[in-house]
Structure formats: C-alpha cells, structure tokens
Amino acid sequence: MRGKFITFEGPEGCGKTTQSKLVMEWLKSKGQDVIWTREPGGTRIGDAIRALVLDPEYGEMVDLTEILLLSASRAQHVKEKIVPALEAGKTVLCDRFVDATLAYQGRGRGMDWQLLGTLNEIATEGLMPDITMLIDISPEIGLKRAMEVDKAEAAAGEADRFEAAGGDFHRSVRDGYLYLAEHFPERIKVVKSRATVDETQEEIRRILSDVLF
Ligand code: TMP
C-alpha cells in the first residue's frame, strides 16, 4: 500500500522541524517505516540548492531565480526520494513543501499565484500531501526564536536570506499560510504553537491519529 505523505509548514521559528522529528520518533515507536526530509533540500542536489538559496551572500538574487531554484530542488526531491519512498509503503514526513511556495513567494514576494501553482504542478508532477500540519506562531516571536536557533547552531548566528527579509515580509507569509488553511481545511490543519514543545506535540499527534490509525 502507498505510504502517507505528511508535510509540516509554518512561519520562521514555529518549531516544525522539532515537531516533525518528534512525530517521526512516535511513528517509529508504533512500528511504522518512516522517513523525514525537508525542502529546499532532501537530496544531494537539493542540499546544494538549499545552501545557495539561503546564503545571505547572494542578496542580488531576483525572485524568478529564487523560485526556479526552489522548484528545481522540489523536482529532484519528488522524483529521487519522495515518490520512491511512498511507493515502498513508507510514511514520508516533509518539512515544508508546495504551501511554502505560495506563502513565501506568493504572499511574501508578491509573485503571481497562478504561475507558482503551475511551477508547483510541474515540479511535483501533481503529487500533493495527504495532510499538512500548519504550526502557527506570530512572526515576531517566531523570528526571534529562529535567530536564537541560528545562534546556537552557528557561531556567527547570521540570519539566512529569508530570515533577513523583514517583519512585513514575514507577516505576509503568515497571512498566506492562514489563507491556504482557510481554503483547504480538509488537508491543512492549523496547530497553534503552544507554551511547550510537548503540548504542541500532543495536539499534532491527536490530529494525525485520526488520519493514520
Ligand atoms: P527552513 O528549513 O528553516 O524552514 O528554511 C527554509 C527557508 O526556505 C524558509 O525561510 C522558507 C524558504 N522556502 C521558500 O521560500 N519557499 C519554498 O517553497 C520552500 C520549500 C522554502
């Protein structure tokens, strides 16, 4: 049987990486065959694209270059990793996918929604998540958190190209995500980022249990 495809989305610093990895541990403990992956990235080529797209050194990158790179990473990821895993019956947990494009490039950068939809369709060959967990957080708190994580991970603690995009950009991204959730309530489930990691995780497991078991 084809595996389930679950994506995690949300504004910067919402905790989706921590939460999706906890979901992986939970599903593994239930005996499921599960992989965790992310975008941009997830493959050797995708990781090289990720480094390029996030690098604040490339401040001159125009919006079209950005979306074509992100789409290239996605095409490689879907073909090389996601579809083969799903066909092998694995559950695939993916940290960001097509909704990020509509929120960041659509709402954040102001690119044409229809063009982005077409690029998503081409890159994914029509593959959509079975369910998407949207972890919602106010952009102010989220960005602060993301910068703290950066500081802990790299001595420099420098903002990546998206983190550096400013408050208005990130408020638009969040609005974009909430707009998507409103329009696709069957697929996209909104979870408020709670005071603790455990509380948020509990809510995510409750929602996923309905879909998976
Ligand atoms: P993250 O892994 O920390 O979420 O970083 C990935 C960054 O890439 C994040 O700032 C959002 C951005 N991004 C887009 O702008 N569009 C996309 O389609 C994807 C997948 C990510």
Side-chain angles (χ1 to χ4, degrees):
M1 202 175 69
R2 188 180 170 279
K4 289 271 187 237
F5 182 30
I6 304 165
T7 59
F8 293 80
E9 299 275 5
E12 305 294 320
C14 69
K16 67 192 162 34
T17 306
T18 304
Q19 293 297 339
S20 55
K21 288 191 169 170
L22 287 170
V23 168
M24 176 170 69
E25 295 313 318
W26 173 56
L27 293 178
K28 278 188 175 168
S29 76
K30 290 187 168 290
Q32 286 211 13
D33 202 353
V34 37
I35 67 161
W36 182 93
T37 189
R38 70 172 175 188
E39 287 202 358
T43 63
R44 216 160 60 90
I45 292 169
D47 283 339
I49 293 173
R50 179 184 177 91
L52 183 62
V53 166
L54 296 189
D55 192 343
E57 269 296 302
Y58 296 112
E60 74 273 32
M61 191 180 292
V62 299
D63 293 349
L64 188 58
T65 304
E66 178 177 287
I67 185 55
L68 291 174
L69 286 169
L70 290 164
S71 300
S73 167
R74 181 162 298 141
Q76 186 70 30
H77 194 206
V78 167
K79 251 221 145 86
E80 182 186 325
K81 194 165 184 181
I82 300 177
V83 167
L86 293 174
E87 282 176 354
K90 295 180 187 176
T91 301
V92 176
L93 306 180
C94 189
D95 188 335
R96 294 200 193 281
F97 197 59
V98 288
D99 299 301
T101 295
L102 296 171
Y104 279 79
Q105 280 64 50
R107 280 299 177 93
R109 302 281 192 228
M111 292 188 79
D112 181 70
W113 197 268
Q114 222 167 349
L115 167 73
L116 297 174
T118 304
L119 286 171
N120 276 346
E121 176 78 25
I122 292 169
T124 60
E125 296 183 346
L127 176 74
M128 284 297 284
D130 294 299
I131 187 155
T132 297
M133 306 303 305
L134 170 55
I135 306 175
D136 187 37
I137 192 165
S138 91
E140 286 73 21
I141 300 172
L143 269 178
K144 202 162 149 253
R145 258 209 227 165
M147 293 308 294
E148 279 161 13
V149 171
D150 285 353
K151 262 195 206 130
E153 283 178 355
E158 195 183 2
D160 70 36
R161 228 170 38 77
F162 292 99
E163 287 165 354
D168 285 348
F169 175 84
H170 290 285
R171 273 184 286 279
S172 301
V173 167
R174 189 219 196 169
D175 288 348
Y177 272 131
L178 294 176
Y179 175 88
L180 286 165
E182 211 178 294
H183 284 77
F184 302 100
E186 283 301 305
R187 175 176 64 84
I188 304 179
K189 307 294 176 195
V190 183
V191 175
K192 289 255 170 260
S193 179
R194 304 283 174 87
T196 68
V197 168
D198 287 354
E199 280 175 281
T200 310
Q201 179 66 195
E202 208 177 298
E203 174 73 358
I204 291 173
R205 289 184 187 186
R206 196 183 56 72
I207 296 169
L208 287 179
S209 291
D210 290 344
V211 182
L212 296 173
F213 311 116

